[in-house]
């Protein structure tokens, strides 16, 4: 298993993984063009896990200049429990720290029990003091 920087060449496999993973929703913002812009704006911050030249995990990461944001942290169910997500996240957080960003957020659907347990067990703090609003 290898962790490598995500490129647009991985897009189709990542989209397939997103669409097959319960608790994850692919939206218009996950289009190929949007993903291209995201990767260009946030170079060397998003990673994929590869086994036999196949994407089995993804962790997308970006920032606004002050805070980091993780999106679509996913590992194929057959490969979970091996520390793959942790390795990808570590690469993301190390990349953010290298550019001076030390606080990072991730949004998780309330209904995604698997992800909520994952983040809680890794000492990420669930925020109860803010609401997230979105505008389309």
């Amino acid at each position: 298993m290898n962790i490598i920087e995500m490129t647009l060449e991985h897009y189709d496999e990542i989209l397939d993984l997103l669409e097959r993973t319960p608790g994850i929703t692919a939206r218009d913002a996950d289009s190929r063009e949007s993903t291209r812009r995201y990767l260009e704006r946030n170079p060397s911050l998003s990673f994929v896990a590869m086994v036999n030249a196949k994407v089995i995990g993804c962790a997308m990461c970006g920032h606004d200049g002050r805070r980091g944001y993780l999106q679509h942290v996913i590992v194929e169910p057959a490969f979970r429990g091996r520390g793959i997500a942790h390795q990808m996240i570590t690469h993301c957080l190390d990349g953010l720290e290298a550019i001076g960003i030390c606080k990072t957020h991730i949004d998780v659907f309330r209904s995604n029990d698997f992800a909520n347990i994952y983040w809680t067990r890794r000492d990420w703090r669930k925020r109860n003091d803010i609401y997230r609003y979105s505008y389309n």
Side-chain angles (χ1 to χ4, degrees):
M1 193 271 309
N2 293 316
I3 306 291
I4 62 171
E5 185 175 340
M6 179 183 164
T7 68
L8 202 55
E9 291 176 16
H10 301 115
Y11 177 80
D12 291 331
E13 287 185 87
I14 291 168
L15 184 62
D16 180 58
L17 184 58
L18 290 173
E19 291 174 343
R20 291 185 292 108
T21 302
I24 303 291
T25 301
R27 296 201 162 93
D28 291 342
D30 297 310
S31 71
R32 181 181 298 275
E33 179 60 20
S34 293
T35 301
R36 181 193 61 74
R37 285 192 311 268
Y38 185 84
L39 294 173
E40 287 177 358
R41 184 181 188 282
N42 300 285
S44 303
L45 292 176
S46 295
F47 296 89
V48 292
M50 306 286 294
V51 170
N52 298 325
K54 181 178 184 268
V55 172
I56 57 96
C58 171
M60 294 178 67
C61 181
H63 67 89
D64 62 13
R66 299 179 322 127
R67 301 284 189 263
Y69 299 91
L70 291 173
Q71 290 95 21
H72 299 322
V73 177
I74 310 167
V75 175
E76 285 273 6
F79 292 91
R80 291 180 181 166
R82 301 180 190 186
I84 296 168
H86 177 74
Q87 290 178 53
M88 291 187 299
I89 294 163
T90 298
H91 278 71
C92 294
L93 297 178
D94 288 349
L96 289 169
E97 187 175 351
I99 57 175
I101 297 173
C102 297
K103 184 171 189 170
T104 304
H105 303 288
I106 185 164
D107 292 332
V108 178
F109 286 121
R110 289 181 184 191
S111 60
N112 188 339
D113 295 334
F114 182 84
N116 285 302
I117 291 168
Y118 176 88
W119 294 106
T120 301
R121 285 184 178 165
R122 278 142 191 91
D123 295 328
W124 284 62
R125 187 171 58 95
K126 185 174 108 180
R127 302 283 303 259
N128 294 315
D129 59 334
I130 63 172
Y131 292 106
R132 168 65 55 107
Y133 295 88
S134 298
Y135 177 81
N136 290 334

